[in-house]
Amino acid sequence: MNALQKQRIRDLRGNGESYAKIAAVLGISVNTIQSFCRRNNLGKGINITASNQSDGQFYCKQCGNEIIQLPGIKTRKFCSDDCCGAWWKANPDKLGKKAVYTFTCATCGVQFSAYGNKGRKYCSHACYVANRFKKAVAK
């Protein structure tokens, strides 16, 4: 691809033309056009749908620091892994866990709940060991 074709792609993409139409006009593969546009940030842009967005700026849901969004990558909601972990720890109701099961322990008779394991019998490893080896459970 020569410099003239590259400039023509920039112009056509700036006018809102599709990859297919640009490829047809220039006689270049659609995949080549897509790759060039992706490398040069000529894509569709960032989808601004996050609730932590204001005036084109994005802010961390946990600490409020500004987040720089990169084109071609999904919209970030947190500035760091630490903020992400802290927010989810503080908002467990937002997880939407559906596989929470309630059981009664086969050894001590205490009711407990477990996530993702519908075949559980014991509330703890100590109760499992006590039942398996017929020992008394220390409470």
Side-chain angles (χ1 to χ4, degrees):
M1 181 178 337
N2 60 37
L4 183 62
Q5 289 174 323
K6 290 178 183 179
Q7 186 56 45
R8 190 82 195 272
I9 292 170
R10 286 186 183 93
D11 293 341
L12 291 169
R13 196 67 184 145
N15 292 334
E17 298 297 338
S18 68
Y19 298 133
K21 181 149 185 182
I22 296 170
V25 168
L26 298 177
I28 301 173
S29 163
V30 175
N31 289 333
T32 303
I33 302 295
Q34 288 176 337
S35 297
F36 177 80
C37 291
R38 187 173 37 252
R39 282 191 309 269
N40 293 282
N41 298 325
L42 299 174
K44 295 178 182 176
I46 299 170
N47 188 6
I48 302 173
T49 58
S51 60
N52 61 341
Q53 188 263 338
S54 170
D55 299 330
Q57 301 296 319
F58 288 81
Y59 300 96
C60 178
K61 290 173 87 172
Q62 177 65 19
C63 66
N65 288 339
E66 185 176 344
I67 302 171
I68 297 171
Q69 300 293 345
L70 301 174
I73 299 174
K74 81 176 187 179
T75 304
R76 294 176 56 202
K77 297 177 184 169
F78 303 99
C79 63
S80 68
D81 289 341
D82 292 336
C83 280
C84 180
W87 191 87
W88 283 110
K89 189 172 186 177
N91 297 285
D93 55 312
K94 305 268 194 302
L95 283 174
K97 291 184 175 180
K98 296 178 182 169
V100 178
Y101 303 100
T102 304
F103 305 101
T104 302
C105 181
T107 302
C108 65
V110 173
Q111 279 220 329
F112 67 97
S113 60
Y115 176 71
N117 186 354
K118 61 183 174 182
R120 235 166 116 186
K121 297 180 184 176
Y122 308 103
C123 63
S124 66
H125 183 69
C127 282
Y128 163 74
V129 170
N131 193 340
R132 174 77 170 86
F133 299 106
K134 308 297 184 220
K135 296 179 182 177
V137 178
K139 292 272 178 173

